[in-house]
């Protein structure tokens, strides 16, 4: 049986059947197994006003990407997630970010996750457990992607040019 490695991003900002968001993530990380990152708290994007608990894990599975996605969606529903507005409050959000097979595209699933490179709440926990995992599109490691996202850029300063 062939097993594949996957990176899963986890987020929650509403209580679930497992309790507070951190408890929901801890229970889900235990159920998924594998290497788990610390849980961090982050500001929301979009219309939600509640802060998120976020984490990442690296798991192995014999399932192909669409079958694993179906399992993750069942886990979300079991935690109390219902269809709703994009970026709204949720008791559990599970996304396949990367997999050892490189890139994947099918209706409803794109790997690598299209926005993961711009999301500190994914890259920060992921860098703690898989800093050397390479993005199959850019060839950059998670560590490099995280550094690019978080490095300080010098403030723009206009310079006055003196005329004579």
């Amino acid at each position: 049986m062939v097993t594949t490695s996957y990176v899963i991003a986890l987020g929650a900002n509403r209580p679930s059947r497992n309790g507070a968001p951190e408890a929901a993530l801890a229970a889900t990380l235990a159920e998924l197994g594998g290497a788990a990152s610390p849980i961090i708290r982050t500001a929301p994007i979009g219309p939600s006003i509640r802060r998120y608990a976020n984490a990442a894990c690296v798991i192995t599975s014999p399932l192909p990407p669409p079958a694993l996605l179906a399992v993750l969606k069942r886990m979300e529903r079991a935690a109390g997630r219902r269809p709703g507005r994009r970026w709204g409050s949720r008791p559990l959000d599970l996304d396949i970010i990367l997999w050892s097979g490189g890139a994947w595209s099918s209706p409803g699933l794109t790997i690598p996750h299209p926005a993961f490179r711009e999301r500190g709440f994914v890259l920060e926990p992921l860098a703690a457990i898989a800093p050397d995992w390479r993005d199959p599109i850019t060839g950059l490691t998670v560590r490099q992607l995280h550094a690019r996202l978080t490095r300080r850029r010098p403030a723009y300063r206009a310079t006055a040019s003196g005329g004579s």
Side-chain angles (χ1 to χ4, degrees):
M1 174 170 22
V2 176
T3 59
T4 305
S5 296
Y6 290 92
V7 170
I8 309 297
L10 301 86
N13 71 340
R14 239 184 54 217
S16 73
R17 294 184 175 120
N18 289 314
E22 289 84 356
L25 294 193
T28 303
L29 287 166
E31 186 175 348
L32 288 170
S37 75
I39 296 171
I40 62 170
R41 295 289 287 176
T42 61
I45 56 174
S48 181
I49 58 171
R50 298 173 187 232
R51 291 183 62 80
Y52 272 83
N54 292 101
C57 66
V58 177
I59 64 169
T60 58
S61 173
L63 298 175
L68 180 61
L69 180 63
V71 169
L72 297 177
K73 294 302 174 192
R74 281 195 297 275
M75 292 174 76
E76 289 177 346
R77 285 190 301 276
R81 182 161 178 187
R82 300 293 173 255
R85 71 179 168 178
R86 187 175 188 189
W87 294 328
S89 295
R90 57 196 62 179
L92 185 61
D93 184 33
L94 301 171
D95 290 317
I96 300 172
I97 302 299
L98 297 161
W99 77 305
S100 57
W104 175 280
S105 185
S106 63
L109 179 60
T110 301
I111 306 172
H113 188 286
F116 92 100
R117 295 168 200 88
E118 294 85 38
R119 293 186 172 170
F121 60 86
V122 172
L123 291 173
E124 182 180 337
L126 183 54
I129 57 169
D132 297 323
W133 193 308
R134 288 200 180 271
D135 172 4
I137 305 301
T138 66
L140 298 173
T141 66
V142 167
R143 179 186 296 113
Q144 290 168 323
L145 291 167
H146 184 250
R148 281 183 168 197
L149 187 66
T150 59
R151 76 173 171 240
R152 291 199 145 160
R153 291 180 174 85
Y156 173 76
R157 289 195 296 170
T159 57
S161 60
S164 41

